Amino acid sequence: MKTIKIFSIIALGAFFSLASCSSDDNNVDTVRPNLNLKAPAEGAVLVAGKDVHFDMEVSDNVMLGSYKIDIHNNFDNHNHPSSVSFKEAEPTVDFVFNRVWALDGQKNADIHHHEIIIPANATPGKYHFVVYLLDAAGNETKEARNITIVAPTPPVEEKGHPTVDLVAPTEGAVLVAAKDVHFDMEVSDEEMLESYKVEISARSADHTIVFSKLWSLAGLKEADVHHHEIIIPENATPGDYLFKVIVINKAGNQTVVNRNVTIAKPGTPVDPGHGHDH
């Protein structure tokens, strides 16, 4: 009887030990965090010398850990069949960026910043923009974008007229109906600015205007204008359009900058080679 009792106790102890180990295994977090990268978009065209508009939403079932952004060139088109060549006017440097941000103590986060600066002498061409998201348990989610870096466009300067550097949209940008446009420009004047107007019109015979709006710059001598207030109408006819920006100073002098753009129907995938901006 004693032998049977001792065996029973040993067996019972082993059972609880296994049950405890099984319980510990069930508590291990193996779920990857959620990552929704909003900007930059696939095929985004970024300008050397400017900051990057970065926007993403992240979450985890338990707790987030950190995220890392890795930007490196894709000049050899690894994993991609197409290529782009650029004529370099002066020596440039291949842009490399690698940085980690902490997300300790958060289960959800809406991250929006302009902390990534592309050097003015960055070599134009194709790049990879990769985001790695880790939760506190070490589970990883990755999301990548194909982007293109272009050389900065020389600002338009006219004596007695405002100086305008239209960064976005770029020449040949593809704008999607029912979507907002990434608008970015720097303006200045020797005396005082007054306003700026954006007008988008069809290049067809009727020159249909699909967007027109005036913004005030009163009281400013210089301004860095960045917004997504321009919405392409959902019913805009797909085709070639003229994106015109008119900047006016207090004396009434105007500087006009034009971009040839294309409007695509809602939901159309955008060809990275055309340099869309959202």
Side-chain angles (χ1 to χ4, degrees), residues 83-221:
S83 63
V84 174
S85 61
F86 293 85
K87 181 180 179 180
E88 297 179 7
E90 57 185 53
T92 58
V93 178
D94 297 350
F95 178 45
V96 177
F97 184 90
N98 198 299
R99 182 176 170 185
V100 176
W101 286 263
L103 293 170
D104 299 336
Q106 301 180 69
K107 289 185 65 175
N108 304 276
D110 188 353
I111 301 165
H112 181 105
H113 62 67
H114 292 255
E115 298 178 24
I116 304 169
I117 309 295
I118 302 174
N121 65 340
T123 302
K126 289 187 175 183
Y127 285 77
H128 283 154
F129 188 106
V130 188
V131 180
Y132 299 88
L133 177 65
L134 287 173
D135 65 12
N139 300 305
E140 179 184 277
T141 299
K142 179 179 72 173
E143 194 159 345
R145 295 283 186 268
N146 294 293
I147 62 171
T148 301
I149 293 179
V150 297
T153 303
V156 177
E157 297 185 29
E158 296 182 50
K159 189 175 181 180
H161 291 246
T163 299
V164 182
D165 181 7
L166 181 59
V167 178
T170 54
E171 178 69 19
V174 177
L175 312 178
V176 180
K179 296 291 184 181
D180 62 89
V181 177
H182 174 206
F183 182 75
D184 189 2
M185 74 171 180
E186 294 179 357
V187 294
S188 62
D189 190 76
E190 294 180 355
E191 298 299 327
M192 199 66 68
L193 295 163
E194 181 62 31
S195 62
Y196 72 95
K197 180 181 180 181
V198 174
E199 182 178 283
I200 306 174
S201 58
R203 285 193 168 277
S204 56
D206 57 5
H207 300 292
T208 301
I209 297 176
V210 297
F211 183 90
S212 180
K213 185 174 179 179
L214 182 72
W215 287 266
S216 174
L217 292 171
L220 300 174
K221 290 187 67 174

Side-chain angles (χ1 to χ4, degrees), residues 61-82:
N61 63 316
V62 180
M63 197 66 66
L64 294 165
S66 64
Y67 71 94
K68 180 177 75 172
I69 295 177
D70 172 32
I71 306 174
H72 57 270
N73 77 67
N74 184 29
F75 300 157
D76 61 354
N77 292 288
H78 53 279
N79 299 326
H80 302 281
S82 59

Side-chain angles (χ1 to χ4, degrees), residues 2 10 105 243:
K2 288 183 179 181
I10 293 173
F243 190 103

